[in-house]
Amino acid sequence: MITTNFVEQSSLINDQLGGRMKEVVEYVAQFIVNSPDKVKVTEENSPEGVLLRLEVDPDDKGRVIGKQGRVAQAMRTVLRVAAAKKGTRVQLEII
Amino acid sequence: MESQESPKNQESQEFSAKTVEEATKLALEKLGAKREDLEITVLKKGKSGILGLGAEEARISVRSVSAATTADVPKVARDILSELLEKMGVKASVEIVEPPLASMTPDSKVVALDITGDDLGILIGRRGQTLMSLQYLINLLVSHKTKARVPVMVDVEGYKRRRYEALQSLAERLADQVKSTKRAVTLEPMPANERRIIHLALSNDPEVTTQSVGAGEGRKVVIAPKGRETHPQTPRRATESDFRPESRERQA
């Protein structure tokens, strides 16, 4: 009973953690793409931290990556702060 | 800054008349706008021809970049930064501040934001890298939102302001030294925004020149005496103590 509760709670907290970071990516991506409705961010929790996958319209892919990956790199840097605040790690994949 | 043209919310209209000036006038009248609110692209210059023969109309494309959005930049930028920080889980407040003087050229228009709160070192990062990424994103988002080309400077608790002031006085001291020893001095590697401060600080000094050498992370400024061949390979390296004006004054 207690164990189940604990697992439930910790996964709930984890969801919230990932949820916030997901919002960071969604917020930035929706601003800079031409098709904001096609922005989709999924998250996966693993022992190494949170894995975020950002999916956008193929035409917008260049916008979220940026010249020489500058936008993607900036998003990752900012996400690292968000992750550190929660004591976890984060990876961002653009697919 | 990236100069991506996004077609959304950017309705451009075309106008034609005998000359570009007349087409512009027509556009201003039709749209009831002021010249500074519009971005005008000349599509065809137009030819007057001889006695109306072979004449071609001038054609321009007009896009609204209204002054209102430019005036909105500080508030829009502040709101976007606050929202992003909140989503990042950083508790902090954002204020619109005067841009640091050391970073200004007479004609530069910059919006400066300062983030204040507890334990914000995490936002600065090594050599200000994190802060630079944050600033890059904010500029990207603000320019998409307002369509204005006003650079936004993001600072954390006056970190850049202090850094810029220190760099400015460092530049002046090293310039004096270069003048008296007639030998070039190389500074430590610095990011682009900091090298710019050195260049700016000495741009009006007739006795020295500044130049950035090296590539990427290792790029650094050389301050050299003007008016003779310099040997950048033999300069004295600026030491750590050069970066601390206080300690130097105490010794003196």
Side-chain angles (χ1 to χ4, degrees), chain A residues 8-39:
Chain A
E8 267 174 16
Q9 267 184 4
S10 81
S11 83
L12 182 75
I13 294 166
N14 240 333
D15 281 352
Q16 284 171 344
L17 295 184
R20 297 301 276 172
M21 289 191 266
K22 197 176 134 179
E23 277 181 43
V24 173
V25 179
E26 277 169 352
Y27 185 69
V28 173
Q30 281 174 350
F31 251 106
I32 58 179
V33 296
N34 283 341
S35 316
D37 47 315
K38 288 195 185 136
V39 170

Side-chain angles (χ1 to χ4, degrees), chain A residues 32-65:
Chain A
I32 58 179
V33 296
N34 283 341
S35 316
D37 47 315
K38 288 195 185 136
V39 170
K40 208 176 122 192
V41 184
T42 55
E43 58 179 332
E44 212 175 275
N45 295 314
S46 72
E48 285 106 77
V50 182
L51 171 65
L52 297 174
R53 285 200 182 86
L54 167 62
E55 207 180 324
V56 295
D57 187 278
D59 288 344
D60 283 327
K61 214 168 157 181
R63 293 194 171 81
V64 294
I65 295 173

Side-chain angles (χ1 to χ4, degrees), chain B residues 41 93 146-147 156 163 171 192 247:
Chain B
T41 316
S93 61
T146 64
K147 313 292 172 220
V156 172
R163 181 89 184 131
S247 64

